Amino acid sequence: MLRTKHITLPDLADLDGGGQPRLLPIDSIDEDPEQPRREFDSDSLRELAETIKARGVRSPVSVRAHPSESGRWMLNFGARRLRASRLAGRSDIPAFVDEAF
């Protein structure tokens, strides 16, 4: 018989604002230096930036409080969306705050 381990994930409603994303200033978000992904296709980022200009950011990024800089955020995931939003000239981005990441 196969045994499975159950993992309890946090309820999004408990993470931030009743599960609703917040609009955060893009300039307050730093990419995690421990993020394994280092290369991003520039053509793909430009295409995503054009889509973001036309339709906005459809899926929020995930952030946590910056571990050493008060008032700043550390990106959990969504580096492509963050980079493309910067290319698109956006000043803010929808984000879920997830300290349990």
Side-chain angles (χ1 to χ4, degrees):
M1 181 160 104
L2 179 66
R3 290 187 175 186
T4 59
K5 182 177 179 181
H6 289 33
I7 299 171
T8 303
L9 298 174
D11 185 339
L12 285 178
D14 294 335
L15 296 177
D16 181 54
Q20 297 299 311
R22 298 169 57 173
L23 275 180
L24 297 178
I26 284 180
D27 291 340
S28 71
I29 302 172
D30 297 320
E31 290 189 39
D32 188 340
E34 300 299 315
Q35 164 63 269
R37 186 174 183 186
R38 301 276 182 234
E39 295 182 25
F40 297 86
D41 179 72
S42 59
D43 291 336
S44 175
L45 280 178
R46 281 193 294 276
E47 287 176 17
L48 182 55
E50 289 303 315
T51 300
I52 287 171
K53 281 181 186 177
R55 296 191 285 195
V57 178
R58 301 304 241 186
S59 295
V61 298
S62 173
V63 298
R64 63 188 181 279
H66 197 288
S68 61
E69 295 185 41
S70 179
R72 297 198 58 77
W73 303 96
M74 183 69 71
L75 188 68
N76 294 331
F77 62 85
R80 283 188 73 248
R81 280 169 278 158
L82 180 66
R83 288 178 181 210
S85 292
R86 285 183 174 135
L87 283 174
R90 292 186 56 98
S91 60
D92 54 31
I93 191 168
F96 285 113
V97 176
D98 183 357
E99 296 296 341
F101 181 79

